[in-house]
Structures are given as C-alpha cells and as structure tokens.
Amino acid sequence: SNTSTSVTLYIISNTGAVISSQSQFAFVALPTIATVTPPAGQYGRSITISGTGLLGGAASFVSATLNGIPAVRVVSGDNNQAIVIAGPSATSLPAGTVTLTTNTGSIATKPTAFEY
C-alpha cells in the first residue's frame, strides 16, 4: 500500500528565528512499476503499466515514455495502473526503460520493460 508520513517542517533563519508548521509536508513511498503488458508493441498499441504508488502522491500523469519514445498519450491512470498509447518508433528497439511522470514531477521507472 502507498502510505505517507506527515512531519513537522522547521525553517531556521541565519539569525536563529524558527518557524514551524505541522502536517505541511509528507514523505511518500517511491513508486514502483511491477509489470508492463504487453512487453512489446508498435505505434498505437495500448500498453498497461501496473505497480504500486505510481502517482507518488500526485493527482495525475502528465507523460510516459516507452523505451525512450514518448507515448502518444496517457489514456487513464491511478495509483496502481496507467494505460498509455505507444508512440511511433522509426526502428525496432531492444527492451528499454518505461517511465511515468506525474504533475508534481514524481517519476516511476522500470528498466528493460518494453521493446518496439
């Protein structure tokens, strides 16, 4: 499960003044991609990326790459799954990294997970 831990945030100035705020920052578990289905495909193919905590505390995915090739779009997604449409590749490529990026900049990756 994707759990977070809230902490008290302290800011200390060079004069020694201290400001604190509770529950304004949370540590979130790293996102993990477990599977990419199918593990190979071509332009226009629907690809399902499954895992845990994929959003990394964010609200949505803004992009995905399959073996370095930008996906045409992210069709849908939640903390456990994202469905993307494979972008065009000019050549066949051996298995490469799959990356999901969220609206807060959280990134989930899985090496050698998709080939064109």
Side-chain angles (χ1 to χ4, degrees):
S1 90
N2 188 29
T3 59
S4 65
T5 303
S6 293
V7 296
T8 300
L9 182 64
Y10 292 95
I11 299 173
I12 304 171
S13 75
N14 62 350
T15 63
V18 177
I19 299 172
S20 67
S21 181
Q22 292 183 327
S23 301
Q24 297 298 310
F25 184 84
F27 290 100
V28 180
L30 288 173
T32 302
I33 296 174
T35 61
V36 178
T37 308
Q42 67 269 353
Y43 173 64
R45 179 79 190 251
S46 177
I47 309 298
T48 302
I49 302 166
S50 301
T52 56
L54 295 177
L55 287 168
S60 63
F61 298 106
V62 293
S63 66
T65 61
L66 303 167
N67 205 340
I69 308 294
V72 173
R73 66 186 162 108
V74 177
V75 176
S76 64
D78 60 30
N79 234 9
N80 300 307
Q81 179 176 284
I83 298 173
V84 305
I85 304 299
S89 175
T91 62
S92 294
L93 298 170
T97 300
V98 170
T99 303
L100 288 171
T101 303
T102 68
N103 65 314
T104 62
S106 173
I107 298 172
T109 62
K110 183 169 181 69
T112 61
F114 187 82
E115 69 180 77
Y116 275 93

